[in-house]
Amino acid sequence: MPSETLTVTDNRTGRSYEVPIEDGTVRAMDFRQIKSTEGDFGLMVYDPAFTNTASCRSAITYIDGDRGVLEYRGYPIEELAERSTILETEYLLIYGELPTAAELREWTHDITYHTYIHENVKKFMEGFQYDAHPMGMLVGTVAALSTFYPDARDVDDPRSREIQTHRLIAKMPTIAAFTYRHSRGMPYVYPDNDLSYAGNFLSMLWKMSEPRYKPNPVLERAMEVLFILHADHEQNCSTNAMRSVASSRPDPFSATAAAAAALYGPLHGGANEQVLRMLTHIGSTSSVHAFIDKVKQGEGRLMGFGHRVYKNYDPRAKIIKQTADAVFEVTGSNPLLDIALELEQIALKDEYFISRKLYPNVDFYSGIIYQAMGFPTEFFPVLFAIPRTAGWLAQWVEMLEDQEQKIARPRQVYLGRDIREYVPLESR
Ligand code: ACO
């Protein structure tokens, strides 16, 4: 058996070093022993944007980008989307196993029990401008929750962590729905705890004067599936924000607000909005060929195509496409769908996209479904944040329980000025 080590020769000194390889990685700290002189700080690794750096060991989500595989705790996303519910999937992410019937009953009760928000949180939300972005309201309100639950600062107590997890997963749809109602000038609808997680969310969004809102079962299931697909995606930008902020041990409401802020950005939670803009700009299927030619000439990108990790069809995109068919049977088709289908069909046969391994990602079809269901585009990242909260919390607990983790504090390569003497104002 070849040894599981890496031998590095420093050509500055001619010295060789042997560093262990474990789980396909070498430890950056093992390079610190490599010094050119006695007083040298030691070698560091440089990796802006962490493109080849594992920041943790994790047992939550597995992605194989080349094969287009996504699994939560070992369960393929396709099976969860077909057979599970969002509450069960969230339990799986948090606790590592699918719940028994009794565990699911208790978990459902715990989440349902915490869906209401304090009336003062509602008043706080009423203070937002009428045209405030729903994601800005969500970020601000989640951060404000930390002031309502001072006990949440006890992050070393597993029971306290569990209670905050219930609160966050339960209240996220309520806050999200209130941001929507606020931006429409409509009265807030309180949670209906007899409905499912997704059904209650739809009720808080769409209920008008009817005594009881009955969600359409197809749209309710579609919402569940979209939630399941977005519940975790290992060390993405917002999850990294969650872990990094939480590493200094603030309460989880503050850390979740930071994660949601990272999700707010157009490079992360806002890409499906760009897909809608692109499809609207293309306008009709007859213009698709001309648009693809422009993309190939470097004039813009085919939004919703390509992924940093997936070099194959994003498994979530496949499921979303099936969900779209079911949704459109209820809502009527979205005229943008035909353009999207035509784009996909042409791009998948085109050498430019084939050679670069560019396939539809999760955002290619999700925006079209959300639009057909009646959601405004600025609400899309909020829809993403609701289920991702469970992923953030699972990663948060894993980070706190990981003996190797410390406060996240990267190094830098300093390229600024050498030490110099202060120049008084009159001499500058
Ligand atoms: N359309 C056209 N060409 C593309 C696209 C695209 N969507 N994506 C990548 N390329 C090309 C690049 O121009 C580059 O070509 P070159 O080698 O001739 O220069 C090559 O493919 C590799 O592209 P990179 O930018 O190096 O790939 P990277 O992994 O950094 O980018 C990203 C991934 C950002 C997702 C990119 O594919 C992209 O911009 N896609 C469109 C935006 C999008 O859909 N984002 C959502 C991602 S999913 C999510 O965040 C939830």
Side-chain angles (χ1 to χ4, degrees):
M1 277 286 285
S3 119
E4 289 285 302
T5 61
L6 173 76
T7 301
V8 181
T9 303
D10 184 349
N11 293 323
R12 298 171 302 178
T13 59
R15 285 186 61 192
S16 281
Y17 304 81
E18 193 173 349
V19 296
I21 299 176
E22 205 184 333
D23 298 324
T25 60
V26 289
R27 282 180 184 262
M29 274 308 280
D30 283 344
F31 290 85
R32 189 69 78 70
Q33 59 180 311
I34 304 176
K35 300 181 180 197
S36 59
T37 58
E38 199 42 50
D40 186 0
F41 182 75
L43 210 58
M44 292 195 294
V45 295
Y46 177 61
D47 187 9
F50 306 125
T51 51
N52 195 36
T53 293
S55 62
C56 61
R57 291 171 180 277
S58 183
I60 301 172
T61 290
Y62 173 73
I63 300 176
D64 181 333
D66 289 329
R67 292 193 298 132
V69 169
L70 170 62
E71 295 164 4
Y72 296 159
R73 303 282 191 185
Y75 291 101
I77 193 69
E78 292 82 359
E79 283 193 41
L80 293 170
E82 193 186 327
R83 302 170 65 180
S84 186
T85 62
I86 181 60
L87 276 184
E88 188 184 70
T89 298
E90 290 180 333
Y91 183 99
L92 172 71
L93 286 169
I94 304 276
Y95 296 104
E97 295 296 338
L98 286 170
T100 62
E103 285 165 343
L104 185 60
R105 256 196 316 277
E106 193 182 336
W107 170 251
T108 305
H109 172 268
D110 286 341
I111 300 301
T112 308
Y113 184 77
H114 285 102
T115 47
Y116 274 64
I117 55 175
H118 195 291
E119 282 296 290
N120 285 350
V121 178
K122 200 184 85 180
K123 285 194 196 128
F124 172 85
M125 294 187 75
E126 280 163 2
F128 284 114
Q129 285 284 69
Y130 70 95
D131 59 351
H133 194 291
M135 197 61 178
M137 288 192 258
L138 183 91
V139 169
T141 308
V142 172
L145 284 184
S146 75
T147 65
F148 288 82
Y149 303 110
D151 56 311
R153 289 162 65 188
D154 194 3
V155 297
D156 292 323
D157 174 9
R159 180 58 193 146
S160 170
R161 293 203 295 256
E162 201 164 34
I163 293 170
Q164 314 322 323
T165 297
H166 295 157
R167 284 176 172 154
L168 268 159
I169 291 178
K171 292 179 202 312
M172 213 56 165
T174 313
I175 297 170
F178 282 17
T179 69
Y180 173 78
R181 302 285 293 204
H182 183 84
S183 60
R184 289 288 180 275
M186 285 153 72
Y188 302 148
V189 176
Y190 283 48
D192 180 341
N193 291 342
D194 289 334
L195 294 174
S196 70
Y197 189 80
N200 170 49
F201 177 55
L202 295 177
S203 165
M204 290 188 290
L205 287 168
W206 311 127
K207 184 171 178 294
M208 294 304 290
S209 58
E210 66 272 40
R212 183 141 227 192
Y213 178 84
K214 280 206 189 82
N216 178 300
V218 174
L219 301 186
E220 185 181 3
R221 181 62 200 163
M223 203 71 248
E224 289 262 333
V225 171
L226 286 157
F227 280 166
I228 291 170
L229 298 184
H230 286 90
D232 196 53
H233 211 231
E234 51 117 310
Q235 306 311 312
N236 55 86
C237 178
S238 57
T239 302
N240 183 56
M242 180 80 185
R243 281 181 173 259
S244 186
V245 170
S247 75
S248 74
R249 300 293 197 272
D251 67 86
F253 298 99
S254 302
T256 301
L263 187 68
Y264 196 171
L267 297 187
H268 190 9
N272 48 10
E273 182 179 344
Q274 301 305 323
V275 174
L276 279 194
R277 284 190 203 289
M278 174 189 75
L279 296 174
T280 310
H281 167 78
I282 295 172
S284 74
T285 48
S286 59
S287 308
V288 166
H289 269 289
F291 181 80
I292 294 233
D293 285 344
K294 278 192 182 162
V295 168
K296 285 158 64 177
Q297 284 154 23
E299 289 179 42
R301 288 197 162 189
L302 179 47
M303 300 311 292
F305 259 66
H307 196 278
R308 172 61 63 75
V309 179
Y310 294 116
K311 300 301 169 195
N312 202 324
Y313 214 104
D314 181 336
R316 299 168 300 174
K318 269 190 206 152
I319 301 164
I320 285 193
K321 213 172 151 186
Q322 293 157 9
T323 308
D325 294 336
V327 167
F328 295 149
E329 282 202 13
V330 176
T331 62
S333 185
N334 185 332
L336 299 179
L337 177 68
D338 292 339
I339 303 174
L341 288 169
E342 181 79 0
L343 263 179
E344 179 187 341
Q345 203 197 20
I346 296 173
L348 289 180
K349 286 190 206 133
D350 192 296
E351 185 48 32
Y352 176 95
F353 297 93
I354 294 170
S355 62
R356 289 169 178 78
K357 298 188 175 166
L358 301 171
Y359 294 87
N361 60 48
V362 67
D363 289 320
F364 193 63
Y365 288 106
S366 64
I368 305 177
I369 304 186
Y370 290 148
Q371 193 181 55
M373 287 175 82
F375 295 113
T377 44
E378 68 271 16
F379 200 63
F380 293 177
V382 174
L383 294 168
F384 196 155
I386 294 170
R388 185 55 60 88
T389 299
W392 291 331
L393 291 165
Q395 303 269 352
W396 169 63
V397 170
E398 186 175 70
M399 189 269 299
L400 290 175
E401 289 180 349
D402 183 343
Q403 298 298 317
E404 279 200 302
Q405 292 292 341
K406 299 175 176 202
I407 184 167
R409 204 308 185 181
R411 292 277 177 180
Q412 64 164 8
V413 181
Y414 178 70
L415 298 175
R417 301 286 295 257
D418 274 344
I419 189 165
R420 47 187 172 156
E421 211 171 293
Y422 179 78
V423 183
L425 186 58
E426 57 279 12
S427 316
R428 283 176 225 158

